[in-house]
Amino acid sequence: MRILVCGGAGYIGSNMTAMLTREGHKPVVFDNLSKGHRTAVKDVEFVQGDFGDLGFTVQTLKKYNIDAVMHFAAFIEVGESVTEPLRYYDNNVSKTRTLLEAMEKAGVEKFVFSSTAAVYGMPDTIPITEDVVKAPISPYGETKWAVERMCGFQSQTGRLRYAVLRYFNACGAGFNAALGEDHRPESHLIPLIIQAAMGKRDNIKIFGTDYPTEDGTCIRDYIHIEDLCKAHLLALKKLESESEQVYNLGNGTGYSVRQVIDTVRKISGKDFSVIETDRRPGDPPVLTADATKARTELGWTTDYPNLEAIVESAWKFHTDHPNGYES
Ligand code: UFG
């Protein structure tokens, strides 16, 4: 298939693009490079453009005869979404509405959308199944939920077939650790701990040690980027027969912040300073996925069920690229 990868120069989009190519698809990366890295896009068609630009997006969809769109171009910082909600509604909701309009105008029906565990807020039931009540506690989560609902309404018109994939904590590096995390500024736990281990930052801060968990720190479900991307291929295929799909993507195993720190220590062989600080607003204590639905309905399997292999791939990416994609 010819697939427009919106945000294909970013962390998840670039891994997805590489996987699409490997699997015989023809991806076209569409990215405004506001966050992504041109050098993360290797040997595929690249179009610099903004998915909020209706005319140019329609033109691009038509020019490349696109069959499906995968959308990875959202803003993803929960904290920033609290201080800049309008920016989040603009980029994540308004521009995605424009993208759906462009698809409609160009006659492209298939859409794979990156959603998030943040749509569940602070759920009472763990692990989380897809039908748990949606109660986002951040503008970020709200914007993703709004797009999910918009897709639902649009698909009822018969002009959209869509898959919503709710990611838990995407991490690690794909394609022999060539494609990894390089967010600026970085806010994600694993790359920050690795920076501490590499001596690029003085310490790693633990945000909260008084959570109702065994060691007092937050528990998350870390899912390797290649496993995540594999589910997109399966969902894309299933769009032939299924016009609406919603799946959680996680391993189902939770690791605490302290366990992640210990794993980086073990894999890197480095020690570094750890500072215990206050909770970060908006962090639920425990988020783990029940991904049974993706496993049974899509036949999804994961190759990186444990954290050590995930951290190993991330460590390789960061040590091979000490200055990220600028290396
Ligand atoms: N954390 C620290 N210190 C840090 C950074 C993070 O203790 O320096 C903690 C956080 O408080 C949290 C855990 O590490 O408990 C993971 O934090 P991340 O920022 O790496 O990831 P989040 O779980 O906050 O968010 C991720 C994605 C979001 C997505 C969310 C869904 O980044 O886009 O998962 O649960 F919405």
Side-chain angles (χ1 to χ4, degrees):
M1 270 193 241
R2 287 168 300 263
I3 294 150
L4 193 78
V5 187
C6 227
Y11 167 52
I12 303 177
S14 59
N15 274 279
M16 190 70 239
T17 302
M19 191 173 285
L20 286 167
T21 306
R22 188 185 74 190
E23 298 298 317
H25 293 286
K26 292 228 169 339
V28 174
V29 168
F30 191 60
D31 199 302
N32 66 8
L33 296 182
S34 64
K35 307 255 179 199
H37 307 279
R38 181 65 183 88
T39 48
V41 182
K42 320 230 188 251
D43 305 326
V44 298
E45 199 74 52
F46 175 79
V47 178
Q48 185 162 354
D50 195 301
F51 68 105
D53 181 338
L54 180 64
F56 188 60
T57 308
V58 173
Q59 193 187 318
T60 306
L61 290 167
K62 286 186 175 163
K63 176 174 174 191
Y64 293 97
N65 215 0
I66 293 295
D67 301 302
V69 174
M70 289 186 172
H71 181 21
F72 303 94
F75 291 164
I76 58 162
E77 300 292 334
V78 175
E80 184 187 56
S81 79
V82 175
T83 53
E84 298 290 340
L86 299 185
R87 282 191 66 218
Y88 275 68
Y89 272 84
D90 178 45
N91 188 77
N92 293 4
V93 182
S94 305
K95 284 178 162 192
T96 303
R97 192 215 65 81
T98 304
L99 176 61
L100 292 182
E101 186 183 347
M103 288 173 60
E104 187 176 280
K105 284 194 154 52
V108 179
E109 286 190 344
K110 297 194 181 97
F111 187 55
V112 181
F113 177 62
S114 307
S115 190
T116 169
V119 300
Y120 299 111
M122 301 225 189
D124 294 332
T125 338
I126 298 288
I128 304 165
T129 51
E130 288 81 357
D131 53 3
V132 160
V133 66
K134 312 313 171 289
I137 54 168
S138 66
Y140 168 70
E142 274 294 348
T143 61
K144 290 285 185 172
W145 177 230
V147 172
E148 287 197 22
R149 287 173 56 77
M150 180 163 60
C151 288
F153 292 124
Q154 179 69 352
S155 100
Q156 281 160 28
T157 68
R159 302 194 289 271
L160 181 73
R161 309 175 74 80
Y162 75 100
V164 158
L165 302 176
R166 294 187 187 136
Y167 308 163
F168 282 65
N169 289 60
C171 53
F175 294 85
N176 297 320
L179 299 172
E181 284 186 85
D182 182 4
H183 304 109
R184 307 199 180 194
E186 189 55 78
S187 68
H188 293 84
L189 182 64
I190 292 176
L192 286 174
I193 305 173
I194 287 176
Q195 285 176 8
M198 290 172 72
K200 295 187 70 187
R201 65 176 55 238
D202 295 341
N203 53 59
I204 181 73
K205 293 191 174 63
I206 300 182
F207 298 145
T209 52
D210 59 348
Y211 283 99
T213 59
E214 207 166 304
D215 69 16
T217 67
C218 285
I219 292 178
R220 292 290 180 272
D221 184 336
Y222 295 90
I223 177 83
H224 191 270
I225 186 73
E226 283 195 47
D227 285 336
L228 202 70
C229 291
K230 269 169 59 181
H232 292 64
L233 290 177
L234 297 166
L236 180 68
K237 190 148 181 266
K238 202 164 185 220
L239 282 178
E240 303 288 345
S241 56
E242 202 68 57
S243 62
E244 293 190 60
Q245 307 173 50
V246 180
Y247 296 108
N248 283 340
L249 299 180
N251 276 309
T253 313
Y255 292 94
S256 71
V257 174
R258 287 193 208 278
Q259 285 176 310
V260 181
I261 291 172
D262 287 345
T263 306
V264 175
R265 276 205 179 105
K266 183 172 170 196
I267 298 297
S268 67
K270 309 276 183 201
D271 202 6
F272 44 86
S273 154
V274 175
I275 296 178
E276 299 183 0
T277 58
D278 292 343
R279 292 182 177 196
R280 186 173 70 176
D283 274 341
V286 183
L287 286 175
T288 59
D290 181 335
T292 309
K293 192 165 173 254
R295 291 180 193 280
T296 52
E297 291 184 11
L298 293 176
W300 183 52
T301 54
T302 51
D303 297 324
Y304 295 83
N306 73 65
L307 190 62
E308 285 195 12
I310 294 176
V311 168
E312 221 160 25
S313 71
W315 176 250
K316 181 164 175 15
F317 172 77
H318 289 282
T319 47
D320 286 351
H321 304 81
N323 298 311
Y325 283 106
E326 281 167 19
S327 303

